[in-house]
Amino acid sequence: MKPPKSLPPADTRLSILDASEYLFANEGYRGTTLRAITKRAGVNLAAVNYHFGSKETLLEEVIKRRIEPLNMERRRRIQEVQDLASKKGKKPVVKSVLQAFITPTLEFRDSEPGARDFITFIGRAFADPDDSVRKVFVRFMHPIFELMHRTMCLALPDYPADLVFWRLQFCMGSLFTPCISAAIFTWIHQMSQTWMQHPLMLLLFLM
Amino acid sequence: MKPPKSLPPADTRLSILDASEYLFANEGYRGTTLRAITKRAGVNLAAVNYHFGSKETLLEEVIKRRIEPLNMERRRRIQEVQDLASKKGKKPVVKSVLQAFITPTLEFRDSEPGARDFITFIGRAFADPDDSVRKVFVRFMHPIFELMHRTMCLALPDYPADLVFWRLQFCMGSLFTPCISAAIFTWIHQMSQTWMQHPLMLLLFLM
DNA sequence: CATTATTTCAAACATCTGTTTTAATCATCT
DNA sequence: AGATGATTAAAACAGATGTTTGAAATAATG
């Protein structure tokens, strides 16, 4: 009897991405060593540099994999809200614009294992003093954030643009900040309300 | 003519604390090396281990120096609000309880150079994945947070305690989270309002 | 002043980190 | 099957980091 065929070689690249996502979220970028990643992924230490070139490129790939489809969906929905409104010759509705951004986030969060880790990671990245982490996030988020800002300014033509900017900043920040984002989700379940009833979301733009 | 007396030996311990505070806030605990600290403080590398024993003890001292007097003042004011209310046989007023906690924070923030760094550091510590950082903060904040919780429950006897807990969590978190806390302070200046007008503070407990 | 204790200093140490190297292994194609 | 290219493996490397050491300098004490 032949020895059993060796296990189908699990996609090394993918296990590295998954392991990194988990560890980056729970230990931070700096706090995660390549050795911890490769051990968790069950691959050789050199695999990271072979497949990604460097730790920093790995970070970029970890982020890109999740954020690109997420932002694509966000962009689609925001555009939809904007188009629908302009077709009727009206302003976009604040609540719909917010919804267009946030709903995909919440759906994504529950869509697959690892997504929750990623959201945690994003939250920490906002407060991360390490440039190499924050800058990558900002680079990926800047375009969609600008779109949000423009659309929100359309929705609130009487508000000065920089005020809208700050409210948006606040709103986005609180959505991802770990302790707060956790509170939001707890709230949703506890109150059996939609996130839209959340005072922060409601009031940041509606008062 | 004698050579000028060498500069009065700047208190090594103190310059290390100041340098650490600045660097921890701007580069993070993990991102700050002992060599960077001692260079900024203008002291020898070995001075940290001589005066503090280890990097972790240094972290503890950096935090303790600021947070102990701050929490003392908070405790005093919260107690005051509570005592004044019970003397009149009334419930404490939500707004006053919040104020008792937050006003010292704002006053402290502008009280001396380095204080702002410390607030930044606190904000990042809340999201820090590094246990050694988060745990120290939690240890120092737990008692005062419990007092806040108890007092707030007195002020809102009809609210379930865990709901009050979450709102408090949310409120405290957003006060220190860097991106949000920055927005709050900008807001204050921009609107020429007191922080109490901030929708977050107002509404977390009043709606 | 002499002695003792405290503080500073430069150098070294052990460990850990990201990365590179070189050889072995595996898969694919002719 | 044999040649070729891609992937994996173990080991080593260079640099950085927290810590320790032992001697020098300074301050305090008798």
Side-chain angles (χ1 to χ4, degrees), chain A residues 144-206:
Chain A
I144 192 82
F145 192 81
E146 273 215 319
L147 175 62
M148 270 295 275
H149 187 216
R150 282 197 305 276
T151 311
M152 205 56 105
C153 284
L154 290 181
L156 298 165
D158 298 333
Y159 282 53
D162 58 341
L163 177 60
V164 173
F165 172 83
W166 278 112
R167 295 202 176 194
L168 207 51
Q169 182 90 0
F170 194 109
C171 190
M172 301 292 102
S174 70
L175 186 65
F176 293 112
T177 300
C179 62
I180 296 188
S181 123
I184 290 183
F185 293 115
T186 302
W187 215 312
I188 294 175
H189 290 102
Q190 215 174 42
M191 302 278 112
S192 301
Q193 296 172 344
T194 73
W195 60 269
M196 265 299 163
Q197 248 80 62
H198 189 281
L200 183 67
M201 300 301 157
L202 266 178
L203 290 153
L204 270 177
F205 287 95
L206 300 181

Side-chain angles (χ1 to χ4, degrees), chain A residues 51-187:
Chain A
H51 284 280
F52 296 93
S54 71
K55 192 187 175 186
E56 193 148 350
T57 316
L58 169 62
L59 169 68
E60 188 144 339
E61 295 288 322
V62 167
I63 295 172
K64 189 193 274 181
R65 166 171 78 142
R66 301 288 192 194
I67 222 163
E68 282 197 333
L70 184 54
N71 278 352
M72 194 119 61
E73 177 65 12
R74 284 168 173 159
R75 180 173 297 278
R76 196 187 63 73
R77 296 207 197 186
I78 297 172
Q79 211 57 256
E80 193 180 72
V81 169
Q82 201 171 315
D83 293 349
L84 227 75
S86 76
K87 200 185 291 177
K88 294 193 212 160
K90 291 189 171 183
K91 300 178 296 186
V93 178
V94 167
K95 196 167 172 175
S96 307
V97 182
L98 274 181
Q99 206 150 16
F101 183 94
I102 298 178
T103 304
T105 314
L106 298 183
E107 286 174 4
F108 162 73
R109 196 188 130 100
D110 297 324
S111 65
E112 49 179 317
R116 187 171 300 228
D117 287 331
F118 184 71
I119 296 288
T120 304
F121 186 30
I122 287 189
R124 291 186 161 152
F126 269 103
D128 203 312
D130 190 339
D131 276 351
S132 59
V133 177
R134 220 178 40 254
K135 276 185 178 169
V136 178
F137 268 105
V138 170
R139 180 152 45 79
F140 278 109
M141 292 303 291
H142 188 256
I144 192 82
F145 192 81
E146 273 215 319
L147 175 62
M148 270 295 275
H149 187 216
R150 282 197 305 276
T151 311
M152 205 56 105
C153 284
L154 290 181
L156 298 165
D158 298 333
Y159 282 53
D162 58 341
L163 177 60
V164 173
F165 172 83
W166 278 112
R167 295 202 176 194
L168 207 51
Q169 182 90 0
F170 194 109
C171 190
M172 301 292 102
S174 70
L175 186 65
F176 293 112
T177 300
C179 62
I180 296 188
S181 123
I184 290 183
F185 293 115
T186 302
W187 215 312

Side-chain angles (χ1 to χ4, degrees), chain A residues 35-49:
Chain A
R35 283 164 180 83
I37 293 175
T38 50
K39 186 179 176 187
R40 187 182 168 87
V43 303
N44 188 272
L45 170 61
V48 170
N49 289 282

Side-chain angles (χ1 to χ4, degrees), chain B residues 2 23 31 37 62 70 77 83 87 94 103 106-107 120 134 143-144 146 167 177-179 186 204 206:
Chain B
K2 271 179 168 178
L23 289 169
I37 292 174
V62 167
L70 184 53
R77 297 208 198 184
D83 293 348
K87 199 184 294 179
V94 166
T103 304
L106 298 183
E107 286 173 5
T120 304
R134 220 178 39 253
I144 193 82
E146 273 216 318
R167 296 202 174 194
T177 300
C179 62
T186 303
L204 270 177
L206 300 182

Side-chain angles (χ1 to χ4, degrees), chain B residues 108-124:
Chain B
F108 163 73
R109 196 187 130 101
D110 296 323
S111 65
E112 49 180 316
R116 188 171 301 227
D117 287 332
F118 184 71
I119 296 288
T120 304
F121 186 30
I122 288 189
R124 292 187 159 151

Side-chain angles (χ1 to χ4, degrees), chain A residues 7-13 15 43:
Chain A
L7 293 178
D11 192 334
T12 310
R13 242 187 94 90
S15 7
V43 303

